[in-house]
Amino acid sequence: MRESDIHINRVDWIAVSIYFALVIIGWFNIYAAVYDSQVEKSIFDFSINSGKQLVWIGTAIALITIIMVADYRFFENLSLIIYGVFMLILIVTPFLGKEVNGQTLSIGFGDFRIQPGEFAKFATALALAKVMERPTFDLSKKNYQFIAFGVLFIPIALILLQPDTGTAMVYFSFLLMFYREGLPQWYFGLGLGMVTITLLALGIDNNLYLALAIVLLTAALIFLGKRTWQRILAFSLIGIGLIAYTYSIDFVVSKLPPHQQNRIMVLFNPDIDPLGVGWNVTQSKIAIGSGGLLGKGYLEGTQTKFDFVPEQHTDFIFCTLGEEFGWVGSLVVIGLFVGLLYRLVIMAERQKTRFSRIYGYGVISILLFHFMINIAMTIGLFPVVGIPLPFFSYGGSSLWSFTVLLFIFIKFDSSRATQLGRIS
């Protein structure tokens, strides 16, 4: 492999530096989350999570090396094959995977297990970039929308069969990339409206009050305009549809597993069961709030030390940071994430091919969703859905999948001088 093929001089070292900063800070916080002052094991001890995470970090570096040495055309030319392979893996996961808490999320041998739903994110991003790269592909047209949404909804459906609602939700973040590539704005207005009505329906105990409000709003809209029968019929149908939608939400929620129903209940009433379903979020907020401005100091967090917050090394890793490093430490890490996302936007916009740009915005969409939802979970603004904080939370599947996702794009960016294409 010639040096010119690797494009070391063209690598965006700002993005790479932020990645390693987040990984290292996350590693120290994983150690803090499992630290026991009575035992005082080393951060390098392979019997605890920080030592295991160090192994994942080492293998992630090996993955980075492979990606950066490989020809960027490998990922582009085989993108649909990669997508197909991971869809097949998702199909067999419920049958061959290991069941934990009613979910079959991982496959593997012995202690070595991976979560295909995590790796399918970069495969889906590659596939979407491939099918949307043609200059004639226009998301404002129905037939092209059907193709794009078809590629997107296949992994969502397969992951829901596991069932893993949290991971499936992440795939909807690709809508941000769709918006950048020309999806009509009314889709987002419709989505925002549905989310608003969903939250209202979940937050109001008696749906009759919500239904009445919708009817009154519909009536007001009718009388504000011309009283033509078409307008009256249109708003009436909208009102009936919204009422039906609010009641369908209750039906769907009733079919969810009990633990997911409880998480939704806690979002709207955190005090409903502070010692049960509300325990995680309550203790997480206490940990973050107790950190104050500068925090209690590294390895001095009492909420962390006495294991008040379950899953603190994975989904709730951010509260460890908040307790021990306070508002300032949290702001630094949030700033690193924002800086990385901003850098990725700059990189995406300077691509010379639609494929690279679309993939770049797919990476941005996934990282932004994970970043926002994970932190929102820890402070009680979103239900606990098991979404890790990128590069920060403990776990090989999480670190590897985010690393592959990011560095494939960094590879595309470093090779842009040799790429031929037309941006439109």
Side-chain angles (χ1 to χ4, degrees):
M1 181 66 65
R2 302 190 308 272
E3 182 179 356
S4 59
D5 292 332
I6 303 177
H7 307 295
I8 292 296
N9 294 332
R10 302 191 188 105
V11 171
D12 194 293
W13 291 108
I14 296 177
V16 173
S17 299
I18 296 176
Y19 163 83
F20 278 105
L22 289 170
V23 169
I24 297 302
I25 296 173
W27 179 50
F28 277 102
N29 275 272
I30 290 169
Y31 178 63
V34 299
Y35 176 74
D36 187 345
S37 59
Q38 301 298 320
V39 180
E40 293 189 4
K41 291 184 177 181
S42 167
I43 191 174
F44 301 100
D45 192 323
F46 295 137
S47 67
I48 60 177
N49 288 335
S50 60
K52 296 175 183 177
Q53 186 72 3
L54 185 60
V55 175
W56 304 134
I57 293 173
T59 50
I61 294 174
L63 288 174
I64 292 171
T65 303
I66 294 172
I67 291 170
M68 297 307 295
V69 169
D71 192 321
Y72 74 90
R73 288 168 292 193
F74 170 84
F75 303 104
E76 182 175 352
N77 295 338
L78 298 182
S79 55
L80 295 180
I81 295 177
I82 294 171
Y83 175 79
V85 168
F86 277 100
M87 294 309 102
L88 289 175
I89 296 175
L90 287 176
I91 290 173
V92 303
T93 296
F95 304 100
L96 302 180
K98 180 180 180 180
E99 183 174 329
V100 178
N101 297 326
Q103 296 176 306
T104 308
L105 308 180
S106 63
I107 59 174
F109 304 95
D111 293 333
F112 176 77
R113 312 196 70 83
I114 64 170
Q115 294 184 14
E118 293 292 332
F119 289 92
K121 296 170 187 175
F122 88 85
T124 303
L126 284 172
L128 286 170
K130 190 63 177 178
V131 301
M132 295 172 60
E133 71 171 341
R134 290 175 297 167
T136 57
F137 197 97
D138 186 357
L139 275 178
S140 66
K141 298 178 179 179
K142 298 294 183 182
N143 56 328
Y144 292 113
Q145 293 172 14
F146 180 80
I147 295 172
F149 280 109
V151 174
L152 178 59
F153 285 139
I154 290 174
I156 292 175
L158 294 175
I159 291 172
L160 286 175
L161 292 176
Q162 297 180 0
D164 185 5
T165 307
T167 301
M169 287 176 56
V170 175
Y171 286 79
F172 285 101
S173 66
F174 282 111
L175 293 175
L176 177 62
M177 179 268 285
F178 286 0
Y179 176 73
R180 169 61 182 83
E181 296 303 318
L183 188 68
Q185 295 183 4
W186 69 264
Y187 277 90
F188 296 90
L190 177 63
L192 181 61
M194 292 180 67
V195 170
T196 302
I197 294 172
T198 300
L199 293 175
L200 289 173
L202 293 172
I204 298 176
D205 293 332
N206 191 338
N207 273 351
L208 288 176
Y209 293 118
L210 179 59
L212 179 61
I214 293 173
V215 170
L216 292 175
L217 176 60
T218 302
L221 290 173
I222 291 173
F223 288 105
L224 284 175
K226 296 180 180 180
R227 299 184 187 181
T228 62
W229 68 270
Q230 295 97 335
R231 184 180 293 273
I232 294 174
L233 177 61
F235 280 118
S236 298
L237 291 175
I238 292 173
I240 294 171
L242 291 175
I243 294 171
Y245 179 70
T246 59
Y247 280 96
S248 68
I249 292 171
D250 281 342
F251 174 78
V252 172
V253 170
S254 68
K255 299 300 180 182
L256 293 175
H259 71 279
Q260 292 184 356
Q261 295 184 38
N262 292 334
R263 289 171 178 174
I264 294 174
M265 293 168 58
V266 168
L267 174 65
F268 296 98
N269 188 0
D271 300 324
I272 191 171
D273 187 9
L275 299 179
V277 296
W279 177 264
N280 288 23
V281 175
T282 300
Q283 296 302 318
S284 175
K285 291 193 290 186
I286 291 174
I288 295 173
S290 66
L293 180 63
L294 299 176
K296 299 175 181 177
Y298 187 56
L299 303 182
E300 298 298 326
T302 54
Q303 293 290 111
T304 296
K305 187 179 300 183
F306 296 110
D307 297 326
F308 281 103
V309 185
E311 305 299 331
Q312 191 163 348
H313 59 294
T314 54
D315 299 342
F316 285 88
I317 189 68
F318 187 77
C319 71
T320 303
L321 174 74
E323 182 179 22
E324 298 193 345
F325 294 96
W327 182 85
V328 172
S330 300
L331 184 63
V332 168
V333 170
I334 290 174
L336 286 173
F337 274 108
V338 172
L340 176 61
L341 291 167
Y342 177 72
R343 191 65 191 174
L344 292 177
V345 170
I346 294 175
M347 292 165 61
E349 289 296 331
R350 72 188 183 193
Q351 297 307 299
K352 294 187 176 182
T353 66
R354 289 193 68 182
F355 180 91
S356 298
R357 185 187 68 197
I358 293 169
Y359 180 80
Y361 272 101
V363 175
I364 294 166
S365 300
I366 293 174
L367 294 181
L368 176 63
F369 188 90
H370 270 271
F371 162 63
M372 293 180 61
I373 297 301
N374 179 272
I375 294 179
M377 284 184 346
T378 62
I379 59 178
L381 295 180
F382 198 86
V384 180
V385 290
I387 292 180
L389 188 60
F391 318 121
F392 221 82
S393 294
Y394 169 78
S397 290
S398 172
L399 179 60
W400 287 358
S401 63
F402 286 123
T403 298
V404 171
L405 178 78
L406 174 64
F407 275 88
I408 287 178
F409 181 50
I410 291 177
K411 175 63 179 181
F412 287 155
D413 181 67
S414 69
S415 305
R416 68 186 185 276
T418 63
Q419 296 175 9
L420 297 177
R422 180 172 64 87
I423 291 290
S424 60

